[in-house]
């Protein structure tokens, strides 16, 4: 066998579920409420919806059209556009892979919390419990030599789960798992939101979402925040939509699909934030802690504030607690497999390694890198990886993709592909967005990201960022130079 077996979704539903599953992740659950709150509450919906339509859906469409037209992996697609572009593909894939290595770790922490939540094992001080008893966090660099066994075990469990899903045939693995986990996730969120609305003080929270601060609309940072949330939430630029769309059979309705996926993803985060805000409103009323001190994002919200809320919630917390952490687990798993699929596809297509073997190698290497985050200084390193890869490397990847497909590749081909396959048509406006508006907006976010990363960098983060930069240059060159085993790889 010289050609890797062509894979195809067996139903449009499987593709849709996998796409929505890839987009709905930790970002929807704990990033969105904070972004919404700190950028004007209700009025934030305006820049958010504008960014969703104008920029988010537009870019997803590029990825759909490219994947569907080429029906190849990212590395081979960029090689086909121009031989010189292959290292860029490996750069993007490496960024995605490195993001996955720490994303898995956060999902691992969540797995630990599912177990803790059955007994509220975090006690009366969840903050201290998280840093001392779960992470065994230290500030000293020597902490890198101490492994935290429970974190390592749960990180291993998540990598193992990802491997179990990825090694299977596309429809049996990713397709089936997405079709099961996504509906479950939706049911859990509906239960949590419905329950949260019955809590005393809920209205203190959710009215924040509907109370607009119109002056925020004239603030450029608010618009950039909206755009940043869309990039993160829809997982733009990570070659996920491109990979999944390349597995679509002829005749699939691309634009209709992209619109539905984007709406479901945003619908999920807006709906979910009603629950989060109501629960925080309850906390404000009961404990007197001001609302603005509770709306943190990321690990602080999930592993510190929520356990505090569960502490004062009474017996219902023994059900809502595990459900909340289960919800993060399901959202996380479907994103992890999506992040890895594109990486595996390129490797397997260039080096002609079958699906199972590629998944095994990628997951083992990924797990080894993730052990770094399971050390005493792991959460600090994780923060540095997150800041650098998200604010800097990922945005660069989106910018490069806009330039490649908007300027270097014949863009009209993409318009033709989309219009041949959809009821909703695209045209000139889309072209202007991809060629001009999107690169300008990403450029703005990028400069903002570099500024905030550099002004907050200490010596440890500078060292790690330098190492990451070197790795992000050297590894893609090596992958490009390695000769393809697949004879068809170089056929453009
Ligand atoms: N969009 C997903 C989320 O919101 C997946 C993602 C993972 C996005 C990592 C960016 C980085 O979590």
């Amino acid at each position: 066998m010289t050609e890797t077996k062509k894979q195809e979704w067996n139903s449009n539903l499987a593709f849709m579920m996998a796409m929505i599953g890839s987009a709905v992740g930790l970002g929807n659950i704990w990033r969105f409420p904070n972004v919404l709150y700190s950028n004007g509450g209700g009025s934030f919906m305006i820049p958010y919806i504008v960014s969703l339509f104008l920029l988010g859906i537009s870019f997803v469409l590029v990825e759909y059209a490219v994947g569907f037209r080429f029906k190849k992996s990212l590395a081979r697609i960029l090689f086909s556009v121009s031989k010189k572009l292959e290292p860029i593909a490996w750069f993007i894939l490496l960024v995605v892979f490195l993001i996955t290595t720490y994303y898995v770790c956060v999902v691992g922490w969540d797995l630990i919390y599912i177990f803790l939540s059955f007994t509220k094992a975090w006690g009366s001080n969840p903050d201290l419990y998280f840093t001392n008893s779960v992470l065994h966090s230290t500030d000293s660099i020597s902490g890198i030599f101490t492994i935290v066994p429970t974190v390592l075990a749960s990180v291993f469990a998540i990598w193992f789960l990802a491997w179990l899903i990825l090694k299977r045939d596309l429809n049996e693995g990713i397709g089936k798992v997405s079709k099961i986990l996504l509906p479950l996730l939706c049911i859990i969120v509906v239960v949590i939101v419905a329950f949260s609305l019955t809590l005393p003080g809920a209205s203190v929270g959710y009215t924040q979402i509907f109370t607009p601060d119109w002056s925020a609309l004239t603030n450029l940072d608010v618009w950039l925040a909206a755009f940043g949330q869309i990039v993160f939430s829809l997982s733009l630029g990570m070659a996920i939509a491109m990979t999944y769309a390349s597995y679509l059979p002829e005749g699939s309705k691309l634009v209709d699909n992209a619109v539905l996926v984007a709406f479901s993803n945003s619908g999920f985060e807006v709906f979910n934030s009603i629950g989060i805000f109501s629960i925080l409103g309850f906390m404000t009323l009961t404990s007197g802690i001001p609302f603005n001190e509770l709306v943190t994002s990321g690990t602080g919200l999930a592993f510190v504030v929520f356990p505090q809320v569960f502490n004062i919630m009474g017996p219902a917390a023994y059900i809502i607690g595990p459900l909340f952490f289960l919800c993060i687990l399901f959202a996380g798993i479907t994103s992890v497999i999506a992040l890895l699929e594109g990486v595996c596809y390129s490797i397997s297509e260039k080096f002609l390694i079958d699906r199972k073997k590629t998944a095994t190698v990628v997951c083992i290497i990924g797990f080894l890198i993730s052990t770094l985050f399971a050390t005493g200084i792991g959460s600090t390193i994780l923060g540095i990886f997150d800041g650098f890869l998200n604010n800097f490397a990922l945005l660069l990847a989106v910018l490069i993709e806009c330039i490649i497909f908007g300027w270097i590749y014949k863009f009209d081909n993409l318009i033709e592909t989309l219009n041949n396959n959809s009821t909703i048509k695209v045209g000139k406006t889309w072209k202007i967005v991809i060629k001009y508006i999107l690169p300008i907006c990403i450029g703005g976010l990028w400069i903002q990201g570099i500024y905030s990363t550099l002004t907050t960098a200490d010596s440890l983060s500078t060292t790690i960022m330098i190492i990451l930069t070197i790795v992000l240059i050297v590894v893609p060159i090596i992958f490009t130079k390695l000769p393809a085993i697949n004879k068809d790889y170089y056929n453009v």
Side-chain angles (χ1 to χ4, degrees):
M1 199 177 82
T2 54
E3 180 57 280
T4 34
K5 205 173 122 238
K6 194 85 223 109
Q7 316 186 75
E8 209 170 77
W9 296 111
N10 57 10
S11 70
N12 193 45
L13 183 73
F15 167 66
M16 283 271 303
M17 290 293 190
M19 271 306 299
I20 300 172
S22 79
V24 172
L26 308 186
N28 300 59
I29 299 171
W30 67 38
R31 196 178 188 274
F32 180 75
N34 179 267
V35 176
L36 175 72
Y37 181 75
S38 11
N39 290 285
S43 49
F44 179 73
M45 290 319 284
I46 296 176
Y48 177 77
I49 291 170
V50 172
S51 298
L52 172 69
F53 274 97
L54 193 68
L55 310 170
I57 296 181
S58 298
F59 193 80
V60 174
L61 285 179
V62 174
E63 292 207 29
Y64 268 34
V66 171
F68 189 76
R69 189 171 177 100
F70 282 87
K71 298 231 172 351
K72 294 173 185 169
S73 63
L74 179 71
R76 221 175 139 197
I77 292 175
L78 292 201
F79 182 88
S80 311
V81 174
S82 160
K83 284 186 182 129
K84 288 191 203 115
L85 294 176
E86 193 186 340
I88 293 191
W90 294 112
F91 163 79
I92 296 171
L93 295 168
L94 185 60
V95 172
V96 173
F97 178 61
L98 290 174
I99 287 180
T100 320
T101 60
Y102 73 79
Y103 198 86
V104 164
C105 183
V106 181
V107 183
W109 294 346
D110 179 75
L111 182 63
I112 297 176
Y113 269 79
I114 294 181
F115 294 105
L116 297 179
S117 60
F118 286 111
T119 56
K120 296 190 197 169
W122 45 72
S124 57
N125 193 337
D127 195 355
L128 215 63
Y129 189 87
F130 180 53
T131 36
N132 290 354
S133 307
V134 177
L135 302 181
H136 293 273
S137 209
T138 105
D139 285 337
S140 148
I141 185 79
S142 62
I144 202 155
F145 300 111
T146 39
I147 293 278
V148 186
T150 20
V151 176
L152 189 70
S154 58
V155 166
F156 177 81
I158 304 296
W159 274 111
F160 185 69
L161 243 141
W163 173 74
L164 283 180
I165 303 168
L166 282 168
K167 76 182 177 81
R168 312 194 74 173
D169 165 80
L170 181 72
N171 293 296
E172 281 301 302
I174 297 179
K176 213 178 221 168
V177 168
S178 307
K179 276 196 272 186
I180 298 170
L181 291 192
L182 204 65
L184 280 179
L185 178 64
C186 292
I187 296 172
I188 297 177
V189 171
V190 169
V191 171
I192 294 179
V193 173
F195 170 76
S196 70
L197 289 174
T198 66
L199 288 170
S203 62
V204 176
Y206 68 71
T207 43
Q208 305 277 345
I209 308 179
F210 304 107
T211 318
D213 168 13
W214 298 111
S215 66
L217 287 183
T218 51
N219 184 345
L220 181 68
D221 286 346
V222 170
W223 286 83
L224 285 179
F227 177 49
Q229 175 62 22
I230 292 292
V231 173
F232 191 90
S233 182
L234 276 177
S235 322
L236 301 186
M238 308 178 107
I240 294 176
M242 211 180 276
T243 306
Y244 280 180
S246 75
Y247 301 148
L248 277 174
E250 286 310 318
S252 304
K253 288 191 166 28
L254 298 178
V255 184
D256 314 40
N257 232 306
V259 173
L260 245 144
V261 168
F263 273 21
S264 312
N265 177 59
S266 289
F268 181 93
E269 57 189 16
V270 173
F271 183 70
N272 173 66
S273 66
I274 297 178
I276 303 264
F277 276 68
S278 303
I279 290 175
L280 297 183
F282 160 70
M283 182 77 179
T284 295
L285 187 85
T286 322
S287 69
I289 304 174
F291 192 78
N292 61 350
E293 281 177 26
L294 294 172
V295 205
T296 49
S297 74
T299 51
L301 181 75
F303 304 131
V304 178
V305 176
F306 264 72
Q308 281 168 355
V309 179
F310 297 139
N311 278 350
I312 54 166
M313 198 180 260
Y318 292 107
I319 298 167
I320 297 297
L323 281 182
F324 172 73
F325 292 112
L326 202 63
C327 167
I328 297 182
L329 178 74
F330 289 170
I333 294 270
T334 46
S335 294
V336 167
I337 50 179
L339 291 164
L340 291 171
E341 177 65 19
V343 178
C344 290
Y345 187 22
S346 284
I347 295 177
S348 118
E349 207 175 35
K350 177 157 186 176
F351 304 108
L352 213 62
I353 312 172
D354 69 35
R355 209 181 152 80
K356 191 170 171 179
K357 278 197 197 117
T358 317
T360 309
V361 174
V362 168
C363 290
I364 290 176
I365 298 174
F367 169 66
L368 292 177
I369 299 176
S370 292
T371 53
L372 205 63
F373 309 117
T375 61
I377 198 165
S379 60
T380 312
I381 303 182
L382 192 148
I384 300 169
F385 264 60
D386 183 42
F388 179 77
L389 292 169
N390 260 312
N391 293 337
F392 182 76
L394 184 60
L395 287 177
L396 184 63
V398 183
L399 186 64
I400 294 173
E401 285 175 52
C402 272
I403 294 170
I404 292 176
F405 296 110
W407 293 88
I408 302 175
Y409 183 68
K410 206 164 159 264
F411 195 78
D412 291 341
N413 287 347
L414 300 182
I415 297 188
E416 183 194 281
T417 305
L418 288 186
N419 289 345
N420 279 346
N421 291 286
S422 310
T423 14
I424 310 168
K425 307 283 179 210
V426 293
K428 252 207 192 111
T429 325
W430 184 48
K431 195 169 170 173
I432 295 170
V433 168
I434 299 300
K435 286 185 93 151
Y436 304 100
I437 304 180
L438 206 52
I440 292 172
C441 294
I442 296 170
L445 263 187
W446 203 51
I447 292 166
Q448 200 190 38
I450 294 176
Y451 179 75
S452 73
T453 312
L454 291 185
T455 46
T456 51
D458 56 14
S459 64
L460 177 67
S461 54
T462 313
T463 316
I464 292 178
M465 288 193 288
I466 292 173
I467 297 174
L468 280 176
T469 310
I470 297 171
V471 170
L472 284 170
I473 295 172
V474 175
V475 176
I477 296 177
I478 297 176
F479 269 79
T480 310
K481 293 273 181 230
L482 285 172
I485 311 286
N486 181 358
K487 300 278 170 294
D488 296 320
Y489 185 82
Y490 297 120
N491 289 346
V492 293

